[in-house]
Amino acid sequence: MTISQNNIVWRCEIFFGGAGEDEYTVKVEVPVSSISIQADGAVNQNVIVIYENTPKTFYCITNGCRPKANISVTTTGVTKGQLTEITIPQNGDVIITRVSQVITANRAGSTAKTLQCSAVNIQGRQPITSQLVNLDVYYIPSAEPTLTGYSNGTVLYEGDSYLTLTCQQTGGYPLSVITWSCEGQTGTTNSGHTMASSYVQLTVNRNLNRKTCTCIVRHPDDNLGYIRTISVIFTVFYPPTNPTLQTSGTSFPWVENTRGVLRCTTTPGNPPQTTYDWLQNSQVINGQTTDTYTIPTLTNAHNGLRIQCRVSNLFTIQRPPAKLSNITVLDVQYTPIITLDTTNITVQEGDNPSGRPCSAIGNPTPTVKWYRGSSEQTSGTGTSATLMFSNIDRNHADTYQCKATARGKQNFESSKSVSVVVFYPPAVTVNLQNTTENATNVVFTCNADGFPTNYTYHGWNQYIGDILVRAYTDFTGMLSESNRTIIIPKVTFKDIGQYDCVVENGMKGRQPAVLQRGSSYFDVIVSAKFDPKEEARKPGELHKNLTINITFYSNPPALTNDIKWINKTTTSNPLIDSDSISIKLTSTAIQRIVYGKVVTLTGQSAALTIASLQSFHLGYYQLEIQNGGNLSSSFDFQIITSAPPETPTEFSLAENGTKSVKVTWKRGFNGGHEQTFVIRYTNTDSLETKETTKEDNNLNSNYTIEIDGLEPSTTYHFWIYSTNKKGNSTLSGNLIVQTWKELVTRRLTNNIGAIVGGMIGTLVAIIVIVVVPINS
């Protein structure tokens, strides 16, 4: 039979033996074959969650059966509540039976919490059972979770070891689920049977400061609504960032005498209060505690300093060291500093002194050169230069500058000086002004330029040409300022010439000589100066040509128109060139006696030629010369016929001896022709008579001659006369001279040793000179 045959009516008909029928309705019993437990829609669940102390309805449901099934519920460890049965008709009279059972459970006890349903619908049959359902009793923790590893307010220090936070939840079933809201950390679960545990490891650094880390604890079943959170806020101390140094305002390079500022830049640490220190060459600079280091006035000493800033806070106090910046080397441009021995270089002219080095340091690197004024004394470039001299002379005496220059943000220059002191003999110059004759108190000054300046003026010399006219002693009474100056009371033409001044300061010259000379020519504007010995009588022969040459010196020289020849006997009108008169002016060398010396001057000769001298030409004349416009001079003379010379005068003994004598005389007029002086002398013992001669040079007035070859202790008679082509003069008076005895000479000779030895003898010689005039 099958269930489909239930309630089928069966008829039993009998055809044998008679007809009859009998109807039967078949009732087919359908045994219950399955039963299951369901809750919250779950079917055939072996484990079903039940919340502690929260009633939960379970359903035991059979399959369709006939008759309905009787269901029983068996539990352990739980409290059963009301049981409600419901039948659910199916096809026909097949019934599904469902029983709802309210179950309440708690965590108490160790007995397992189970639930099982059984059903039977036919008596005598073995009941069928459902699956055994284990009841999972969910409940929330009774204690609050904990978070260990850090407490708010605790200071962490950057760089410390890892920080481990552990979040724990004890109790509850199932164990709580722990999650983290903490810097991206997911946490590591380390749970046991009765406690949920999770930890995170955090790197302690500045990024953690003021960050919140939250441990989130929740029951796995959200229906229980158990969520707990525990949070901490970290306090992490960390140092400021490594500072950097930068210029503030003006960038490098800086310039001396300006203001320099460095700024120390850092990001503050935690705590943010930052302390600043400044270091110079690794040494703390006192008083500098801000983020800027100001140098009010930069100097060369600041260049090259190694500056650092150091920053610190509470972190670096607990966890030293403080943070140091990069090293900044100060770049300060400054005026070069010169090293030079400024002691004077003292040398004597002609020396070769050692060089004087000069060097300099600076920023930028300087170039060193020596200068004399604006003239560079060295070549090349570098930080040192040496002042060199070779064969030094007075022209090197000066102040020399060592200059150090550098080009940077601006041009820098410094200098030091050294003086070169050259000892040298004086360069001598004579300061005088040309003037005119008769000028008074004319001053000549001798100027010496040498070193040292303690001069000794040895005097003056006057030269005309090569002739020394006057020496130092000749200026006695005219000198002043320790012989430095000459004052000429009244100037004459004799004062012309070169004046030498002799000076010395103890230094030898290159020759070498100590005495140094300087000279200058003194020119005097003078009227014509005639020869004092110019004969005033000009002899001539009648009917023959007569040329009269009169020499003179004038300055400026006379011109032809400055010359006038005047015949004072006949007329005062000047003579002029004609057939019988010829007038000429020429330049010629003339000799004059200047201060007792015969000198040669560039003079002039005025010539007057009379053709065929006649008696009416005889008489008095005048040569008038007017030079320089207003200088005038004249010479008066007489033209006479020529004649023998005049007798010399003032014939006398100049010096006696044993075998020679010197006699002197004064010339007379030569008669217009060259004359010769004749000295005649006679030995009174032998009566031998001899003559000796001396030519008239027409320069001197007085003449002297030595006559030798005489006999000692002998009386001689001397006479003098003159001769020219016209004849002889008369004899002079007789000059009687007795020569010295030979004995006198020997006695003087013998006495030399005594004189040298200090023995002073007296020798008296009596010489009697008798001059007896006699006729020729």
Side-chain angles (χ1 to χ4, degrees):
M1 297 293 290
T2 64
I3 193 169
S4 61
Q5 296 171 327
N6 185 49
N7 290 326
I8 295 176
V9 177
W10 294 86
R11 180 180 293 124
C12 179
E13 295 180 355
I14 302 175
F15 297 99
F16 180 79
E21 60 184 15
D22 196 7
E23 290 182 358
Y24 296 90
T25 300
V26 179
K27 295 291 187 181
V28 179
E29 290 182 344
V30 179
V32 59
S33 61
S34 66
I35 187 171
S36 63
I37 298 175
Q38 295 182 10
D40 300 327
V43 180
N44 294 325
Q45 290 183 342
N46 294 325
V47 178
I48 295 176
V49 173
I50 184 172
Y51 302 131
E52 182 182 44
N53 298 322
T54 301
K56 187 177 181 71
T57 300
F58 291 87
Y59 298 94
C60 295
I61 303 173
T62 66
N63 61 333
C65 65
R66 187 182 302 114
K68 75 173 185 68
N70 293 316
I71 298 174
S72 62
V73 178
T74 304
T75 62
T76 59
V78 299
T79 301
K80 292 189 291 184
Q82 181 180 0
L83 179 66
T84 302
E85 182 180 90
I86 300 173
T87 57
I88 304 170
Q90 293 292 311
N91 297 325
D93 54 0
V94 176
I95 299 170
I96 293 175
T97 303
R98 184 180 70 178
V99 175
S100 62
Q101 176 70 62
V102 176
I103 298 296
T104 302
N106 57 43
R107 76 191 78 176
S110 57
T111 304
K113 304 329 189 253
T114 61
L115 171 66
Q116 193 171 36
C117 296
S118 61
V120 61
N121 63 341
I122 298 175
Q123 188 175 4
R125 281 188 174 265
Q126 186 70 29
I128 62 171
T129 58
S130 67
Q131 79 273 24
L132 180 64
V133 175
N134 288 306
L135 297 178
D136 239 351
V137 181
Y138 280 14
Y139 55 90
I140 63 174
S142 58
E144 293 296 315
T146 61
L147 178 63
T148 60
Y150 181 79
S151 299
N152 285 332
T154 302
V155 175
L156 300 174
Y157 291 88
E158 185 178 55
D160 284 353
S161 58
Y162 288 104
L163 173 66
T164 301
L165 295 181
T166 301
C167 186
Q168 292 179 329
Q169 176 68 72
T170 302
Y173 183 81
L175 292 178
S176 297
V177 176
I178 300 175
T179 59
W180 296 86
S181 174
C182 186
E183 294 297 295
Q185 298 289 325
T186 58
T188 300
T189 300
N190 187 19
S191 298
H193 293 291
T194 61
M195 181 175 64
S197 179
S198 178
Y199 68 90
V200 291
Q201 276 194 330
L202 300 172
T203 301
V204 181
N205 57 34
R206 65 194 62 200
N207 296 326
L208 197 59
N209 185 52
R210 300 182 65 84
K211 295 297 178 63
T212 299
C213 191
T214 301
C215 166
I216 305 168
V217 181
R218 59 167 54 89
H219 194 279
D221 193 328
D222 291 338
N223 292 321
L224 291 177
Y226 183 83
I227 297 177
R228 298 289 187 272
T229 59
I230 306 176
S231 297
V232 290
I233 300 175
F234 299 111
T235 299
V236 179
F237 280 9
Y238 53 90
T241 58
N242 287 332
T244 58
L245 274 187
Q246 294 177 326
T247 58
S248 178
T250 304
S251 60
F252 287 137
W254 289 342
V255 178
E256 65 178 348
N257 298 321
T258 62
R259 180 172 174 264
V261 179
L262 289 176
R263 184 172 298 281
C264 181
T265 302
T266 184
T267 300
N270 188 39
Q273 292 75 21
T274 304
T275 299
Y276 293 87
D277 289 312
W278 291 85
L279 292 86
Q280 174 180 300
N281 295 339
S282 300
Q283 299 298 315
V284 173
I285 305 172
N286 293 329
Q288 296 294 331
T289 58
T290 66
D291 64 344
T292 58
Y293 173 40
T294 300
I295 304 174
T297 303
L298 292 164
T299 68
N300 63 286
H302 293 107
N303 183 57
L305 292 180
R306 299 164 64 86
I307 303 297
Q308 287 176 285
C309 72
R310 182 172 64 188
V311 293
S312 59
N313 62 358
L314 287 178
F315 173 89
T316 60
I317 293 174
Q318 297 298 323
R319 299 287 193 275
K323 296 297 183 178
L324 272 175
S325 72
N326 54 303
I327 295 175
T328 293
V329 180
L330 298 189
D331 184 2
V332 180
Q333 294 186 347
Y334 59 91
T335 303
I337 300 174
I338 293 177
T339 299
L340 172 65
D341 178 6
T342 56
T343 306
N344 289 346
I345 301 174
T346 303
V347 293
Q348 187 166 347
E349 194 170 46
D351 287 351
N352 294 302
S354 58
R356 181 61 59 88
C358 178
S359 61
I361 59 173
N363 180 31
T365 301
T367 297
V368 176
K369 294 183 179 181
W370 280 97
Y371 288 89
R372 182 181 185 181
S374 60
S375 175
E376 183 180 342
Q377 300 297 299
T378 53
S379 59
T381 58
T383 57
S384 63
T386 302
L387 181 64
M388 300 295 294
F389 295 100
S390 177
N391 196 22
I392 200 166
D393 63 26
R394 66 196 66 188
N395 294 322
H396 291 112
D398 207 339
T399 297
Y400 294 78
Q401 274 193 328
C402 173
K403 289 185 179 180
T405 57
R407 185 183 299 275
K409 269 194 172 180
Q410 65 185 49
N411 293 332
F412 298 93
E413 179 178 308
S414 61
S415 65
K416 282 190 177 181
S417 299
V418 64
S419 293
V420 176
V421 180
V422 181
F423 284 2
Y424 57 91
V428 184
T429 58
V430 174
N431 185 24
L432 53 82
Q433 294 290 330
N434 296 330
T435 186
T436 59
E437 63 181 332
N438 300 321
T440 58
N441 297 322
V442 175
V443 178
F444 297 171
T445 303
C446 181
N447 295 317
D449 180 16
F451 195 83
T453 58
N454 51 328
Y455 305 119
T456 299
Y457 295 88
H458 289 281
W460 296 77
N461 295 317
Q462 178 190 3
Y463 289 88
I464 298 180
D466 296 331
I467 304 301
L468 175 61
V469 176
R470 284 188 288 182
Y472 167 62
T473 55
D474 297 321
F475 292 101
T476 302
M478 303 168 63
L479 299 171
S480 65
E481 294 187 78
S482 300
N483 302 332
R484 181 169 176 254
T485 59
I486 297 176
I487 301 177
I488 299 178
K490 187 176 182 178
V491 175
T492 70
F493 96 96
K494 293 182 180 181
D495 296 320
I496 65 171
Q498 176 180 299
Y499 284 80
D500 287 0
C501 173
V502 181
V503 186
E504 62 102 354
N505 64 350
M507 296 293 107
K508 291 183 179 181
R510 295 182 183 273
Q511 285 69 23
V514 174
L515 298 181
Q516 305 299 315
R517 300 176 185 272
S519 63
S520 185
Y521 191 85
F522 183 54
D523 203 6
V524 181
I525 297 175
V526 297
S527 60
K529 304 300 176 185
F530 300 98
D531 189 351
K533 300 182 296 299
E534 183 73 43
E535 291 290 350
R537 288 171 292 179
K538 304 297 182 182
E541 297 185 29
L542 295 175
H543 308 298
K544 291 186 177 180
N545 294 342
L546 171 64
T547 298
I548 298 172
N549 285 303
I550 298 177
T551 60
F552 62 91
Y553 172 82
S554 66
N555 186 30
L559 303 176
T560 301
N561 293 335
D562 296 334
I563 304 298
K564 293 181 181 179
W565 296 87
I566 301 173
N567 185 341
K568 298 176 66 176
T569 302
T570 59
T571 179
S572 60
N573 293 327
L575 302 177
I576 60 176
D577 274 331
S578 63
D579 292 339
S580 60
I581 299 296
S582 175
I583 298 173
K584 289 185 179 180
L585 178 65
T586 58
S587 177
T588 185
I590 62 175
Q591 289 184 320
R592 294 289 185 268
I593 297 177
V594 176
Y595 295 115
K597 304 295 191 302
V598 178
V599 300
T600 300
L601 302 173
T602 299
Q604 291 176 285
S605 175
L608 173 65
T609 300
I610 302 175
S612 185
L613 182 67
Q614 302 298 318
S615 58
F616 62 82
H617 289 132
L618 303 177
Y620 294 94
Y621 288 77
Q622 184 180 70
L623 172 60
E624 183 180 304
I625 301 174
Q626 187 170 6
N627 63 312
N630 57 359
L631 299 175
S632 180
S633 183
S634 63
F635 179 77
D636 292 327
F637 63 94
Q638 181 185 9
I639 296 179
I640 61 173
T641 57
S642 59
E646 293 180 348
T647 302
T649 60
E650 301 179 18
F651 184 54
S652 61
L653 178 66
E655 184 178 324
N656 196 5
T658 57
K659 294 183 179 182
S660 65
V661 297
K662 288 183 179 180
V663 294
T664 182
W665 66 93
K666 188 173 183 179
R667 70 188 292 274
F669 178 54
N670 63 7
H673 302 282
E674 293 182 357
Q675 66 176 344
T676 301
F677 303 108
V678 181
I679 296 90
R680 179 184 296 170
Y681 55 98
T682 300
N683 185 330
T684 58
D685 292 339
S686 64
L687 299 180
E688 179 182 10
T689 299
K690 294 181 179 180
E691 288 186 345
T692 186
T693 61
K694 187 175 182 68
E695 296 296 328
D696 183 6
N697 60 16
N698 205 32
L699 292 175
N700 301 320
S701 296
N702 297 311
Y703 292 83
T704 299
I705 191 171
E706 182 177 7
I707 303 172
D708 54 12
L710 304 181
E711 295 294 330
S713 189
T714 301
T715 301
Y716 285 88
H717 290 254
F718 292 88
W719 299 269
I720 189 170
Y721 66 92
S722 296
T723 181
N724 67 8
K725 69 178 183 178
K726 289 295 184 178
N728 299 334
S729 70
T730 60
L731 282 174
S732 68
N734 185 16
L735 173 64
I736 300 174
V737 178
Q738 184 176 7
T739 58
W740 288 355
K741 291 182 180 180
E742 188 75 35
L743 179 63
V744 174
T745 304
R746 286 197 298 273
R747 183 175 298 169
L748 287 172
T749 304
N750 292 336
N751 284 341
I752 290 174
I755 293 171
V756 174
M759 302 291 292
I760 303 175
T762 304
L763 177 64
V764 179
I766 301 174
I767 300 173
V768 179
I769 300 174
V770 180
V771 179
V772 179
I774 62 173
N775 291 328
S776 173

